[in-house]
Each structure stands twice: as structure tokens, then as C-alpha cells.
């Protein structure tokens, strides 16, 4: 009851704070939501984007009461979410698993995948202004891990009022409690914004009525901050960063109830952090140039305990502790012309990504320190956009990939959009080649004990895919106060050398390449 009363008070306070700035923020959202940046040369009107971009704005996030990306995407078409009590929520898009879907924050990729997936529950939305989703292969622009699509989370970068803040609280009967807060300040050329989020899950006893449960208690804390300095009308500099800490408690079944009962418990501690530096200079209706550098860290520690009921004590179990540390460093530069008066515009860019992993379940026999592994990838890409008239848009490009281990690859793509003037329909189609290099886990993983035998495979080859996507959108004139908006789309995916975890024995598994998957 105390939690419910506290939540109600926070909700009332939140409504009061938000009411002071609603006029500014909603008006700003209505303008920004018409412009998309993901997979585009420059900020582009949504109706003129050559690829189909689905936009989820801040108002939709709040109306759905979504605290994290998992809760927001569960009702989206073409997406499937699967929940694991320990590994969290995994995503698949258009039938392609999460390791082929690149998740970005302001255009920069996140690291820290377990079994190829990022936990959607570990991506809070407190600081997110809107989300842009592009389905289909985007490897030409975003490189490896983007052969299924891209989800770009765009943070808040400005406000109209000098001060802006809100507090949001949520209480659910199933044991989920969430409290978040945001505070922003803008003065002259400076903008500072900070958010904090606290989420706790305390499940009610389930039907099995024992110490262990289907769902595990979870405690999560996160925060994020952005400092923006608008040097002049054409130059923008931003520094941002954040962290997330999460603890999952997996209680085991009591054994030997008649004499000195005991149980085996697992505690999982996850930590994420990142820092980003972004620079942009642009001349309206001429060009836009962007550069960014990002450092990320992900730490996952599993502690196994033996719990003694009599007396009430716990002790670490030797040899059953697991530490998984990964870090990533990425740098990206793009230059694009943005000349509406010209029929041809260009995009050029370069990207460098490296990842380092360390843990007692990683084994690299070719190195002296076998528990440390690393890999890097370099990409250069270019694209041309041709607009012969107001009806047609044709864009083509290619990416040249140089991988530390797997050599070179070339990834061409082409997009075509047909939007006849004064006609209520649009047709968009694309043909794109995708690419995904094996992860450090797939190459070097080694987990062998009395109950497990799961190993990586250094002989794996990169996945190479072909994606075809077509969409027909029909939006006739309004009938009174009614507006009908209809979209029909289809896709085809063909992946060569798809990487799977294959059974090679009774309890033995190894990562293998599958010749072809559609």
C-alpha cells in the first residue's frame, strides 16, 4: 500500500511539472517527427525518404507507458520478442534474429551481446525523444550486424524553455515498479540534459509455490547525460554518456528437505557504460558533415552460491564463477551533399569498429593469454542519389569492408521510390546485400562442465545475405474527419553461411555455418 501511495504522489507531481512545458515540447515534437535521419544522406522529410522509416515519437512512448525498448516494441509489426529469465528479451525482425539487427544510440552502435542479442530490457527510454526503425539490409551504410535492419534511438538534444523537467512513476500489480526523472537546461549556445531511471521487479509467488520461480527478481539503475554546445549556426558539438547497472537473482530449489536443506543460487550482475563525442558542421541546402567517436564497456559477472537454510548462510562455490567483459571503440565520419536544386547528391563515409573480450569462457589457443580476444573491422562507403523529377528517387551505393580475420567484402545496394505528384500512393523497393562477421563469442566461446559442452568455432565464415523489400502505401484524401492510411509490404531474405548453434552430441553444441537459409 505504501508503494501505491508513493507512486500516486509521484504521478501527480509529474503531471504538474510536465504541464509547465507541454506547449513547448509538443510543438517541437510535431515538427521534428516529420524529419528522419537514419539511413539518409541528411535530415529528410519522412515522405521523401527513399527507404521506409518507421518513426515512434515521444508522445507514443509515453502513451504506451513503456519504460524500456522491450515494452515499446512488443506491439510493432514484423517484430518478435522472446523472453529468457536470465538472458533477458531478444528481438527478431522480419524473421531474422537479433544478431543481424543493429541497435544504435544517436547513430552509434551498442555493444554487449549475449548469444548474439542485446537485452531489450536494458535499454531505458527516459532520454529517448524518438525511435527510427528501418527494416531490411542496411550493411551498405552501417556495416556488419545490420543485414536485418537498424533501430536508431535518438536522444533529446534541445528544448524551447530554459528549464524543462519531468518525473514519471509506474506501478504494476505483477511486481514491476519504475521511477524515472529528466531535467534539462538551455541557455544561449549551451544545452545540458540529464536523466535517471530506477526499475525493480519483485515477482509475486507463482504457481509452483516453491523457493525458485519462473521469473527472477531484478533491480536496475541507469542514468544518462548530454552536453551540447552550438558553436555557431552551422557547427554543433555534443558530449554524452551513460551507465546501467542490473542485478538478477536466480534462487534455486531447496534440496534434502529432511536434513540440513540447501540450494544453489546464481546472482548475475550486469554493467553497461558508454561515452560519445559528436561533431557536425552543415550548410543548409549545401552539405552536411558528421564525425563521432564512441567508447563502450559491458561487464557481466555470474556468482554461484551454495545456500544453507540452517543456518541461513551463503558461500561462493569455487570454479563456478563466470566473468565476461567486452569493450568497443568505434569512429565514424560521413560527408553528404544536400542540394534540393540539384538532381544528383553524394554521400561518402568511413567507419572503424573494434571489440575486445575477456572472460573465463573465452579460449583463444593462438594467443599466449587465451582468455583475451579482440577483432576490428574497417569500412568505406559511398552512395549516389538521383532525383530526375518530383516523381522518382533512385539511390545506389556500395560498401567496401576490410575485416581483420576475414579479409574483404563488397556490399552493393539500390533503392527506388516512386511518388507521383497529385496521386495518393507511393511505391518503394530496395535490393541490398548484407554482411555479418562472426562475433567473438561465436569464434572463441568455451563452456564445458558436467552439464554443458558449448564451444565456438574459429573456422566460421561470415554471413552474406540478399534482401529484397517492396512497399505500397495508399493515403487518399480525407473523407470528412476520417483519414485512411494503408500499407502493403513484402520482403525476401536469403542468407548464405548463416551461423547457428548446432547440436553435435547429446549435450554438445558448436557454432556452425548453415549453407543457406531463406
Amino acid at each position: 500500500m505504501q508503494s501505491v501511495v508513493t507512486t500516486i504522489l509521484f504521478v501527480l507531481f509529474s503531471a504538474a511539472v510536465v504541464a509547465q512545458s507541454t506547449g513547448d515540447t509538443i510543438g517541437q515534437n510535431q515538427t521534428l517527427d516529420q524529419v528522419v535521419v537514419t539511413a539518409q544522406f541528411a535530415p529528410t522529410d519522412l515522405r521523401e525518404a527513399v527507404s521506409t522509416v518507421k518513426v515512434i515519437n515521444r508522445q507514443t512512448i509515453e502513451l504506451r507507458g513503456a519504460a524500456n525498448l522491450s515494452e515499446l516494441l512488443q506491439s510493432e509489426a514484423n517484430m518478435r520478442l522472446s523472453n529468457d529469465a536470465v538472458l533477458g528479451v531478444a528481438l527478431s525482425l522480419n524473421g531474422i534474429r537479433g544478431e543481424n539487427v543493429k541497435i544504435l544510440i544517436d547513430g552509434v552502435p551498442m555493444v554487449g551481446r549475449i548469444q548474439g542479442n542485446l537485452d531489450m530490457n536494458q535499454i531505458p527510454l527516459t532520454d529517448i525523444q524518438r525511435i527510427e526503425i528501418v527494416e531490411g539490409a542496411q550493411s551498405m551504410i552501417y556495416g556488419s550486424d545490420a543485414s536485418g535492419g537498424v533501430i536508431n534511438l535518438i536522444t533529446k538534444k534541445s528544448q524551447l524553455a530554459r528549464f524543462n523537467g519531468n518525473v514519471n512513476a509506474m506501478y504494476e500489480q505483477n511486481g514491476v515498479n519504475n521511477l524515472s526523472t529528466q531535467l534539462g537546461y538551455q541557455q544561449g549556445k549551451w544545452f545540458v540534459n540529464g536523466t535517471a531511471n530506477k526499475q525493480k521487479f519483485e515477482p509475486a509467488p507463482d504457481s509452483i509455490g516453491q523457493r525458485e520461480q519462473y521469473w527472477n527478481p531484478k533491480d536496475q539503475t541507469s542514468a544518462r547525460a548530454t552536453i551540447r554546445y552550438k558553436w555557431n549556426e552551422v557547427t554543433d558539438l555534443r558530449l554524452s554518456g551513460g551507465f546501467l547497472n542490473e542485478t538478477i537473482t536466480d534462487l534455486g530449489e531447496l534440496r534434502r528437505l529432511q536434513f540440513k536443506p540447501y540450494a544453489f543460487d546464481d546472482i548475475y550482475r550486469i554493467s553497461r557504460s558508454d561515452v560519445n563525442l559528436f561533431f557536425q558542421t552543415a550548410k543548409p541546402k549545401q552539405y552536411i558533415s558528421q564525425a563521432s567517436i564512441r567508447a563502450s564497456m559491458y561487464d557481466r559477472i555470474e556468482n554461484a552460491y551454495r545456500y544453507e537454510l540452517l543456518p541461513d548462510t551463503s558461500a561462493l562455490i569455487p570454479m563456478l564463477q563466470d566473468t565476461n567483459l567486452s569493450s568497443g571503440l568505434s569512429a565514424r565520419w560521413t560527408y553528404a551533399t544536400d542540394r534540393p536544386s540539384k538532381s544528383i547528391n553524394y554521400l561518402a563515409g568511413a567507419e572503424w569498429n573494434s571489440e575486445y573480450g575477456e572472460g573465463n569462457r573465452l579460449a583463444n589457443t593462438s594467443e599466449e593469454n587465451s582468455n583475451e580476444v579482440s577483432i576490428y573491422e574497417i569500412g568505406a562507403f559511398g552512395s549516389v542519389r538521383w532525383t530526375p523529377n518530383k516523381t522518382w528517387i533512385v539511390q545506389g551505393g556500395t560498401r567496401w569492408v576490410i575485416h581483420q580475420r576475414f579479409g574483404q567484402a563488397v556490399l552493393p545496394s539500390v533503392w527506388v521510390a516512386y511518388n507521383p505528384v497529385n496521386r495518393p500512393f507511393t511505391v518503394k523497393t530496395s535490393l541490398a546485400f548484407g554482411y555479418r562477421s562472426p562475433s567473438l563469442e561465436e569464434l572463441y566461446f568455451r563452456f564445458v562442465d558436467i552439464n554443458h559442452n558449448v564451444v565456438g568455432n574459429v573456422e566460421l565464415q561470415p554471413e552474406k545475405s540478399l534482401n529484397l523489400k517492396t512497399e505500397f502505401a495508399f493515403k487518399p484524401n480525407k473523407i470528412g474527419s476520417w483519414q485512411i492510411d494503408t500499407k502493403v509490404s513484402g520482403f525476401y531474405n536469403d542468407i548464405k553461411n548463416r551461423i547457428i548453434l548446432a547440436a553435435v552430441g547429446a549435450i554438445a553444441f558448436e557454432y556452425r555455418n548453415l549453407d543457406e537459409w531463406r
Side-chain angles (χ1 to χ4, degrees):
M1 180 59 67
Q2 184 178 0
S3 299
V4 176
V5 173
T6 303
T7 301
I8 292 174
L9 292 176
F10 271 118
V11 170
L12 293 175
F13 176 67
S14 172
V17 175
V18 173
Q20 297 177 10
S21 57
T22 298
D24 291 340
T25 56
I26 290 181
Q28 189 180 33
N29 286 345
Q30 289 174 344
T31 300
L32 294 178
D33 286 346
Q34 303 302 318
V35 176
V36 294
V37 297
T38 308
Q40 310 299 318
F41 277 32
T44 304
D45 189 296
L46 181 61
R47 297 163 295 183
E48 299 175 357
V50 69
S51 54
T52 302
V53 183
K54 183 185 297 183
V55 178
I56 304 176
N57 58 27
R58 184 65 203 176
Q59 184 180 17
T60 301
I61 295 173
E62 294 176 352
L63 287 174
R64 294 184 185 178
N68 53 55
L69 193 58
S70 168
E71 297 176 358
L72 181 67
L73 298 182
Q74 61 187 350
S75 59
E76 292 297 321
N78 295 339
M79 293 189 180
R80 298 292 182 269
L81 300 176
S82 57
N83 204 325
D84 185 277
V86 173
L87 301 179
V89 177
L91 169 74
S92 67
L93 177 62
N94 286 348
I96 298 182
R97 301 175 308 186
E99 57 262 41
N100 290 287
V101 180
K102 202 151 197 173
I103 298 181
L104 314 170
I105 297 181
D106 290 330
V108 184
M110 297 183 63
V111 301
R113 296 175 181 263
I114 298 296
Q115 295 187 4
N117 292 287
L118 289 166
D119 183 0
M120 300 291 103
N121 279 333
Q122 294 178 1
I123 307 178
L125 302 178
T126 310
D127 191 38
I128 304 304
Q129 196 69 13
R130 73 182 189 276
I131 297 173
E132 297 179 358
I133 303 171
V134 185
E135 301 176 7
Q138 299 296 321
S139 295
M140 192 278 289
I141 296 179
Y142 293 105
S144 185
D145 305 339
S147 56
V150 170
I151 300 175
N152 190 13
L153 291 83
I154 300 171
T155 60
K156 183 177 181 179
K157 301 178 181 67
S158 65
Q159 63 189 38
L160 298 182
R162 177 174 294 186
F163 289 98
N164 178 278
N166 63 74
V167 178
N168 293 286
M170 180 183 68
Y171 171 82
E172 294 186 18
Q173 187 182 10
N174 63 3
V176 175
N177 296 274
N178 188 80
L179 177 64
S180 62
T181 183
Q182 175 268 329
L183 181 63
Y185 170 77
Q186 181 156 322
Q187 177 65 36
K189 298 180 178 181
W190 291 92
F191 170 70
V192 181
N193 186 67
T195 60
N197 186 80
K198 176 71 173 179
Q199 185 171 350
K200 197 166 186 178
F201 175 45
E202 297 178 344
D206 52 37
S207 59
I208 61 177
Q210 299 181 19
R211 185 172 182 267
E212 77 281 10
Q213 300 184 52
Y214 290 120
W215 304 108
N216 297 324
K218 181 185 297 185
D219 196 343
Q220 184 184 103
T221 303
S222 63
R224 192 160 197 87
T226 299
I227 301 175
R228 178 187 182 188
Y229 179 69
K230 193 170 179 60
W231 197 288
N232 51 45
E233 291 300 319
V234 299
T235 306
D236 187 14
L237 184 65
R238 294 197 306 268
L239 177 65
S240 64
F243 74 89
L244 178 142
N245 293 323
E246 182 178 86
T247 301
I248 301 173
T249 304
D250 185 7
L251 301 178
E253 176 187 2
L254 281 175
R255 306 164 182 252
R256 203 174 57 191
L257 299 178
Q258 295 80 9
F259 178 72
K260 294 185 177 180
Y262 70 96
F264 295 119
D265 299 339
D266 292 310
I267 308 295
Y268 301 88
R269 297 178 176 89
I270 297 98
S271 176
R272 291 182 179 274
S273 60
D274 67 87
V275 60
N276 315 274
L277 182 63
F278 175 87
F279 172 81
Q280 173 179 301
T281 181
K283 188 174 182 180
K285 298 184 179 181
Q286 291 293 326
Y287 69 87
I288 179 170
S289 181
Q290 298 176 333
S292 64
I293 184 169
R294 174 187 176 101
S296 307
M297 292 196 67
Y298 174 82
D299 194 5
R300 184 177 187 268
I301 299 174
E302 176 187 352
N303 294 131
Y305 295 87
R306 180 185 173 105
Y307 168 73
E308 302 286 350
L309 181 62
L310 300 172
D312 188 2
T313 59
S314 293
L316 284 170
I317 303 174
M319 306 302 293
L320 288 182
Q321 314 307 312
D322 175 39
T323 300
N324 178 27
L325 170 66
S326 63
S327 60
L329 185 63
S330 63
R332 179 180 173 92
W333 167 83
T334 60
Y335 176 87
T337 60
D338 181 26
R339 304 167 299 180
S341 60
K342 302 291 185 179
S343 61
I344 295 180
N345 284 281
Y346 307 91
L347 167 70
E351 189 171 15
W352 177 72
N353 290 292
S354 68
E355 188 172 357
Y356 166 84
E358 179 182 351
N360 55 355
R361 291 181 183 171
L362 293 174
N364 183 5
T365 56
S366 63
E367 299 290 339
E368 181 177 350
N369 191 342
S370 62
N371 296 123
E372 297 182 9
V373 293
S374 62
I375 210 161
Y376 70 83
E377 179 180 292
I378 301 172
F381 53 95
S383 184
V384 178
R385 177 170 175 164
W386 179 44
T387 312
N389 50 50
K390 295 182 179 181
T391 299
W392 290 93
I393 303 174
V394 181
Q395 180 179 325
T398 189
R399 186 184 187 94
W400 179 33
V401 176
I402 304 175
H403 195 279
Q404 176 188 6
R405 184 181 182 89
F406 302 106
Q408 304 179 32
V410 177
L411 310 172
S413 300
V414 62
W415 297 265
V416 178
Y418 176 64
N419 186 11
V421 180
N422 299 325
R423 296 292 181 89
F425 67 88
T426 302
V427 180
K428 296 181 179 181
T429 186
S430 63
L431 179 65
F433 286 85
Y435 174 88
R436 185 178 80 85
S437 58
S439 66
L440 294 177
E441 181 181 22
E442 291 166 337
L443 291 169
Y444 303 111
F445 190 70
R446 184 172 180 83
F447 182 23
V448 179
D449 62 16
I450 191 172
N451 296 315
H452 305 86
N453 188 342
V454 184
V455 296
N457 183 0
V458 295
E459 302 298 327
L460 288 174
Q461 295 299 312
E463 294 181 353
K464 296 183 179 181
S465 62
L466 175 66
N467 172 260
L468 175 64
K469 181 174 175 61
T470 300
E471 178 188 275
F472 175 83
F474 179 67
K475 191 172 184 178
N477 296 326
K478 286 186 177 181
I479 304 174
S481 60
W482 290 83
Q483 175 69 64
I484 299 175
D485 188 355
T486 303
K487 292 182 180 180
V488 179
S489 63
F491 64 85
Y492 170 78
N493 290 308
D494 189 336
I495 301 178
K496 310 287 187 183
N497 293 327
R498 187 190 187 198
I499 301 172
I500 63 171
L501 187 61
V504 295
I507 61 170
F509 296 85
E510 184 182 43
Y511 286 100
R512 297 281 183 89
N513 283 117
L514 192 66
D515 287 342
E516 190 167 15
W517 178 89
R518 296 189 183 93

